[in-house]
Amino acid sequence: METPDQLRDALLKDVEAANSTEALEELRISALGKKGRITELMKGLGQMAPEERKAAGQALNVLKGEVSSAIDVKKAAMADADLDKRLMSEQIDVTLPAAHEETGYVHPISQTIDEIVGIFGEMGFTVAEGPDIEDDWHNFTALNIPLDHPARQEHDTFYMPGEDGKRKVLRTHTSPVQIRTMTDQEPPIRIIVPGRTYRSDYDATHSPMFHQVEGLVIDKTSHMGHLKGCLIEFCRAFFEVDDLPVRFRPSYFPFTEPSAEVDIGCTREGGEFKIGHGDDWLEILGSGMVNPNVLSNCGIDPNEYQGFAFGLGVERVAMLKYGIPDLRTFFESDLRWLRHYGFRSLEVPGMVGGLVR
Ligand code: DAH
């Protein structure tokens, strides 16, 4: 019969040699299981004389402990080694550029709107929205454009039948959202409104559906100086020209008084168009101090509140920034055009990146 010492040496050698968790488990059963080798020795204790039994029993208990802890240690080491191996094989280099697997592109109009929202968002504006199908009051009357006003004809409006004989219109500008916001919300107000607008017009610089971004600030103190500062900042951030010349030219809009159109500097030397310092100007925005009549129409007291508004054409500034020559191409759904002028979906615009292509 094996002595406990011989058995220990044999078992520890086997543990050492085991090369899988399954082999270790078999070993454990063959040593410590019901019919295991150590268990068998323990069964022999009963036949021993009481004086011998005590010492032999202790020796077997020590042996049992040694063997089972050797198995546990080896098992843990194997699990660690397995994990290390798996981690090595699943390792990825997160500093590698993401593989471009996407097949779609972000449309330049979406990209441009995101850029505009990004810039005004930094200034504390929030985004507001309104319906594309408007009523006459929100689109015209409340904006101080009465029925007989020439601006109504200039807008080339698409009219639609409405209820109670009151016709609806496809909004001709985003300005009606000014009215919706002022009738819904208490000042102070600081919103921008990107959205679709509609006019019956079609050529290289007009499309029956186009996009505008409206801006509105109403509080007790904002004045023309704030309007100028805000729009100069916007133009310089959007076109990424730090010293871009910006000019405010007196103009007329029924909903603002005084009104100004905003021009940015450019050159057209040698047939090449460039935004920045130069001898020419390009109009990109309409703006002004909100007309007191508009405030009154919305139930806001013009003696207490004031503010400014502006509107810009998204296609127009996108064409200028990204060198797109014909406005109609935006909406022709030509995939070759989109591959050329579109943006990758991971290029998210923000103030620290993505505004540059
Ligand atoms: N709604 C004008 C248009 O479509 C643009 C505009 C001009 C909006 C001046 C404004 C503004 O808010 O103050 O031509």
Side-chain angles (χ1 to χ4, degrees), residues 152-167:
R152 291 215 180 201
Q153 277 72 54
E154 285 160 22
H155 275 206
D156 298 311
T157 313
F158 287 112
Y159 289 99
M160 310 170 71
E163 285 153 28
D164 311 331
K166 279 192 188 146
R167 64 184 178 180

Side-chain angles (χ1 to χ4, degrees), residues 183 208 216 326:
T183 51
L216 177 70
D326 190 320

